[in-house]
Amino acid sequence: KTDPYGVLVREEMELAGLPVAGPDTTPLAQRAAGRTLLGLLRLSAGELSRDEVMAWLTGCPIRSPDRPRGAEVSPTEWDLISRKAGIVRGREQWLDRLDRYSARISELATRSDELGDTSEARVTGMAQEARAVEALKRFITGLADQVDPPADGSKWGEFSRWALGLMQAYFDRRADLPAAEADSEQRVTEMLQELEGADDLEP
């Protein structure tokens, strides 16, 4: 059994940039790559619960597949937006309530600008929030599509490629991670690749 205090001490020393001697006792599930993959697997088995999505976003180094278009993951802002929009779970609820919330913000910004009863900074802030809502909507749409797993009875290789695709899409390799955390991605990748060999066994 892993000593939780030993894990905590090692993590704190690594974050402080201090060298640590001795075997690494941190379970892979507690490393950045492991947490990212396990979070994705939990989301694939659920209904995109707002709490689970936000716990994953805030607890893992996540990138957006939409990043080439300038989109950045904004966990704190997205948490606030999803709360205001009243989201609980389910893809359709995410999209419907984000659409409604975006429409309310845009309408309020336009009306306030026309009436001149709100500061220019406030109007600009509402416009920025509306753009953040659209970024969150694109992220959730893509996430809902990608976490949908292969059909029951699919070959191990299909599950392996699906999981590897999820990691490639969402694990942020550019995050400023300690060396041990960066190494965890390689270990997760190798384990997922090895799953393809299970196709030689019974389904």
Side-chain angles (χ1 to χ4, degrees):
K1 183 177 180 181
T2 301
D3 180 357
Y5 293 104
V7 172
L8 181 61
V9 169
R10 175 177 285 274
E11 287 180 349
E12 291 300 318
M13 292 184 71
E14 287 176 350
L15 290 173
L18 299 174
V20 182
D24 185 359
T25 59
T26 306
L28 188 55
Q30 293 180 16
R31 290 294 187 186
R35 294 196 312 272
T36 300
L37 177 60
L38 289 175
L40 285 162
L41 294 179
R42 280 191 290 271
L43 292 176
S44 75
E47 301 179 80
L48 287 184
S49 156
R50 195 197 78 84
D51 289 344
E52 288 188 349
V53 171
M54 290 305 152
W56 173 68
L57 283 172
T58 56
C60 304
I62 304 301
R63 67 178 293 274
S64 172
D66 198 35
R67 179 175 280 178
R69 296 171 55 185
E72 295 287 342
V73 172
S74 305
T76 302
E77 185 177 30
W78 288 358
D79 182 35
L80 182 59
I81 286 171
S82 59
R83 284 181 185 277
K84 290 180 178 178
I87 295 164
V88 179
R89 68 175 61 85
R91 172 180 175 152
E92 295 308 315
Q93 186 181 95
W94 275 94
L95 303 185
D96 178 62
R97 296 190 179 181
L98 286 175
D99 276 340
R100 293 183 187 183
Y101 186 63
S102 179
R104 287 201 306 271
I105 295 173
S106 298
E107 181 182 357
L108 180 59
T110 300
R111 188 185 316 131
S112 299
D113 188 36
E114 291 173 349
L115 296 176
D117 61 355
T118 303
S119 69
E120 182 178 344
R122 174 60 179 155
V123 172
T124 300
M126 287 189 287
Q128 291 175 342
E129 185 175 10
R131 289 193 292 272
V133 172
E134 289 304 311
L136 174 56
K137 181 182 173 184
R138 289 196 303 270
F139 183 86
I140 290 297
T141 299
L143 180 64
D145 289 339
Q146 296 209 50
V147 297
D148 190 25
D152 288 347
S154 298
K155 291 183 176 294
W156 279 104
E158 293 179 56
F159 282 101
S160 171
R161 290 186 291 275
W162 167 70
L164 286 167
L166 288 175
M167 288 296 290
Q168 181 177 8
Y170 292 104
F171 184 71
D172 190 358
R173 295 166 183 81
R174 300 195 307 176
D176 186 16
L177 300 173
E181 294 288 5
D183 179 63
S184 72
E185 182 199 3
Q186 181 62 30
R187 291 166 61 197
V188 167
T189 297
E190 291 172 353
M191 291 173 66
L192 291 176
Q193 290 172 336
E194 288 172 0
L195 283 178
E196 291 200 43
D199 281 335
D200 296 334
L201 307 175
E202 294 184 12

